Amino acid sequence: MLRRLLPFAVIGTLLLAVAAPAPAVAVDGGVAWTVQTADNAHGTRRANFRYDTVDPGTVISDAMTVVNTGTEPLPLEVYAADAFTAATGEIDVLVDGRPSRDAGTWVSVDASPLSLAPGASAEVPFTITVPADARPGDHAAGIVTSLTSTDPTSTLSVDRRLGTRINLRIAGELTPAAAVSDVSARYEASWNPFESGRVVVQYALENTGNTRLTGSEILATDGLFGERGAPTQLTEVLPGSTVEITREIPAFSLGWVAGSVELTPEAVGLGAAPLAPTENGFSVVAVPWSLYALLALILAAVLTAVLLVRRRRAAAAAQAD
C-alpha cells in the first residue's frame, strides 16, 4: 500500500506566541481542507494544543475545527496517535499500523468518521484522559484527519493526512538530558586548488530525558588553519526520539583535519534551562588532491626546465670543444 503524507501541522515552540497562527492546509485538486484549534476556554487562535503542568488523572476536553475548502465532498477519519521526531528532524505521528503507547492512547475522538460537504465546517471534540500513573515530563501526540482513496488507474491506496500536534507536560520532576553518538566526519576536497575543501560531520542526537529538547551547536576545526562556525539552532527533539544531524565547515588541509562539535542542549517550555555543554571530537584524513596535483605539475615543469637548461649548456659546451 502506498501512503502519501501531507504536511503534518506542527508549529514550532518558537512560534507558540504568534497571535494569529494559520490553519494547516491540505490541497490536492478539488480535494482540500484545513484543520486548526477551536477557540474555547483553553484559548483562542492557538498554534497547537498545549497543556502545561497537567496533574496525573486529569481529564481535558477540547476540540479541533475542520473546514472543507475544496469542491468535493470530504469523508474523513479522525484519530489520535503518538508523535515523535523523525531522524530527519520533522515531527510525525505513528502510521502503518504501529500502535501508540503513550499520549496517543490518552486521546479519544468523539466524531469519527466525519463527512463534510464543500464549504462546510465542523468542530471535532476530543477528550484527553491522563493516566493516574503518567510519568512526569513532556508527552506528545497528534490528532489527525485522514482521507483514504484508491487510484482508479491502479490498485494503490493513497492516504492524505493532516493534523495538529498535542503537547502535554505532566507535573513532576523534569529531567532534561541528551546523548550524542556516532560522530563521524569525511573530507570533500575542492576541484579548485586555491579554495579550501570542506569537512562534513554527522552525528546522532538522542533525547534521553523527559522534556522536549532543543539547543545550539558550534562546529569547529583545530590547528593553524582552524575554523569556527556560527552557532546553529537545533531542531526540537521529543523525549525518546533520535535525530541524525549533518553539518559542514570549510577546511584548509595539507592531509589531516581534527575538530569538535560543541553542543549546548536546552529544555523547551516552562522551566527550560540549558544543560551542561558537551564537546565531541572528530578527525579525518583530508588530502587536497587538486592542490597536490598543481604542486606536482609545477614541480614537473621546474624539473623539465632545469633538464632543458642543462642539456642546452651541455650541448653548447660540446660545440665549444
Side-chain angles (χ1 to χ4, degrees), residues 157-173:
S157 178
V158 179
D159 183 6
R160 304 172 179 88
R161 298 186 292 128
L162 190 67
T164 301
R165 183 171 161 187
I166 299 174
N167 287 321
L168 299 106
R169 174 158 287 182
I170 307 303
E173 182 181 3

Side-chain angles (χ1 to χ4, degrees), residues 12-95:
T13 303
L14 297 179
L15 300 182
L16 291 181
V18 173
V25 180
V27 180
D28 187 3
V31 176
W33 75 98
T34 65
V35 299
Q36 64 185 114
T37 59
D39 293 342
N40 51 36
H42 294 290
T44 58
R45 305 173 73 80
R46 294 172 288 167
N48 50 40
F49 297 104
R50 192 185 76 178
Y51 313 98
D52 295 322
T53 319
V54 178
D55 292 324
T58 298
V59 177
I60 301 169
S61 296
D62 210 330
M64 178 174 68
T65 300
V66 184
V67 182
N68 184 351
T69 58
T71 59
E72 299 182 15
L74 191 63
L76 294 172
E77 295 291 334
V78 187
Y79 61 92
D82 286 349
F84 64 98
T85 306
T88 56
E90 299 173 345
I91 304 294
D92 204 348
V93 295
L94 295 176
V95 294

Side-chain angles (χ1 to χ4, degrees), residues 1-267:
M1 176 179 290
L2 173 67
R3 294 180 179 268
R4 183 168 63 192
L5 172 62
L6 292 178
F8 185 66
V10 177
I11 308 299
T13 303
L14 297 179
L15 300 182
L16 291 181
V18 173
V25 180
V27 180
D28 187 3
V31 176
W33 75 98
T34 65
V35 299
Q36 64 185 114
T37 59
D39 293 342
N40 51 36
H42 294 290
T44 58
R45 305 173 73 80
R46 294 172 288 167
N48 50 40
F49 297 104
R50 192 185 76 178
Y51 313 98
D52 295 322
T53 319
V54 178
D55 292 324
T58 298
V59 177
I60 301 169
S61 296
D62 210 330
M64 178 174 68
T65 300
V66 184
V67 182
N68 184 351
T69 58
T71 59
E72 299 182 15
L74 191 63
L76 294 172
E77 295 291 334
V78 187
Y79 61 92
D82 286 349
F84 64 98
T85 306
T88 56
E90 299 173 345
I91 304 294
D92 204 348
V93 295
L94 295 176
V95 294
D96 298 327
R98 287 181 291 171
S100 294
R101 303 183 185 279
D102 196 55
T105 65
W106 305 351
V107 183
S108 58
V109 180
D110 298 341
S112 186
L114 176 68
S115 183
L116 293 174
S121 64
E123 278 199 1
V124 179
F126 62 90
T127 302
I128 305 173
T129 304
V130 181
D133 59 351
R135 63 167 177 78
D138 289 330
H139 300 257
I143 180 165
V144 180
T145 56
S146 171
L147 175 64
T148 304
S149 58
T150 302
D151 187 339
T153 62
S154 68
T155 59
L156 298 177
S157 178
V158 179
D159 183 6
R160 304 172 179 88
R161 298 186 292 128
L162 190 67
T164 301
R165 183 171 161 187
I166 299 174
N167 287 321
L168 299 106
R169 174 158 287 182
I170 307 303
E173 182 181 3
L174 301 180
T175 56
V180 174
S181 61
D182 300 330
V183 180
S184 64
R186 69 177 187 272
Y187 178 74
E188 296 182 353
S190 171
W191 289 104
N192 185 342
F194 301 105
E195 290 184 354
S196 64
R198 61 178 182 173
V199 173
V200 180
V201 179
Q202 295 177 302
Y203 66 95
L205 173 63
E206 181 183 3
N207 185 343
T208 57
N210 68 354
T211 68
R212 289 174 288 146
L213 198 69
T214 182
S216 65
E217 66 167 16
I218 296 176
L219 190 61
T221 56
D222 303 331
L224 179 62
F225 304 106
E227 293 275 352
R228 185 173 180 83
T232 301
Q233 182 68 28
L234 297 172
T235 186
E236 182 180 321
V237 186
L238 297 177
S241 295
T242 301
V243 296
E244 297 172 358
I245 297 174
T246 301
R247 300 283 189 247
E248 62 181 55
I249 188 171
F252 180 81
S253 168
L254 296 177
W256 185 265
V257 172
S260 63
V261 179
E262 301 171 17
L263 189 69
T264 306
E266 183 177 335

